[in-house]
Amino acid sequence: MPEYKLKFTDDEDESRQRTLNELHLFINTMDNRPLAVTTLDKEQSDNWDKEGDIDYQDTYGRQIIKQINDDVTETLIIRNANGLPVALAARDINNSWQGIGIDKRLRQEIATILQIEDINFD
C-alpha cells in the first residue's frame, strides 16, 4: 500500500490546515463506498509509529490489505488500540490501494470527523 507522510512545516497553523485539507479530500474519496475497519492490537499500536529498520506501517498495512482484499471492500480505516485512526486507504480507479497516514497530532480530530471514536466495529 503506497503511503506518503504529511509533515508539518515551521508555520504550524498553515501546515496543520493544509494537512487537514488533504485528509478531508482523501476522506471524501471514501464516501459511500464499502468500508472495512480494522483495529490494531496493543503491540501493533505501539510499533505503528516506531521508526527504525522495520517499516511497521507498511508491513501491517500490506498484511491488512491482503486480509480484506475482496471484490467488495473499497475503503479502509486502520485504528490503533485506543480506537483512533492511524491510516486510511482506498482503492483507486486502477483497483490499487492508496493509503495515507494520520499524524499523531491529528488522530483525535480525524476520529471526530469520521465519527468513529465511540463506535465498536468488532
Side-chain angles (χ1 to χ4, degrees), residues 56-73:
Y56 287 103
Q57 293 178 12
D58 184 61
T59 301
Y60 295 151
R62 288 180 189 277
Q63 291 172 357
I64 292 165
I65 292 297
K66 282 182 185 175
Q67 292 175 15
I68 64 157
N69 202 16
D70 57 28
D71 293 330
V72 177
T73 306

Side-chain angles (χ1 to χ4, degrees), residues 2-120:
E3 180 178 335
Y4 63 93
K5 292 188 179 201
L6 301 171
K7 301 247 184 221
F8 291 109
T9 62
D10 293 335
D11 185 359
E12 188 77 22
D13 290 337
E14 182 180 320
S15 181
R16 179 182 180 88
Q17 189 57 51
R18 189 172 42 254
T19 301
L20 281 170
N21 289 344
E22 288 186 48
L23 286 164
H24 277 279
L25 287 172
F26 197 92
I27 291 167
N28 287 339
T29 69
M30 298 172 68
D31 276 351
N32 299 315
R33 296 174 66 192
L35 171 69
V37 177
T38 188
T39 303
L40 303 171
D41 64 25
K42 176 75 169 113
E43 180 182 352
Q44 292 167 327
S45 294
D46 291 343
N47 289 334
W48 185 264
D49 294 309
K50 281 186 182 176
E51 293 186 21
D53 293 337
I54 300 172
D55 183 346
Y56 287 103
Q57 293 178 12
D58 184 61
T59 301
Y60 295 151
R62 288 180 189 277
Q63 291 172 357
I64 292 165
I65 292 297
K66 282 182 185 175
Q67 292 175 15
I68 64 157
N69 202 16
D70 57 28
D71 293 330
V72 177
T73 306
E74 295 180 16
T75 60
L76 170 67
I77 298 171
I78 301 174
R79 303 185 311 171
N80 64 18
N82 297 321
L84 295 176
V86 295
L88 306 172
R91 288 184 193 253
D92 64 17
I93 59 172
N94 298 318
N95 211 28
S96 297
W97 285 93
Q98 300 299 311
I100 186 169
I102 301 172
D103 187 278
K104 287 181 188 181
R105 297 167 284 186
L106 298 175
R107 291 178 182 165
Q108 184 62 53
E109 191 166 351
I110 296 301
T112 301
I113 291 167
L114 295 170
Q115 300 177 350
I116 64 167
E117 68 274 20
D118 295 325
I119 298 173
N120 183 359

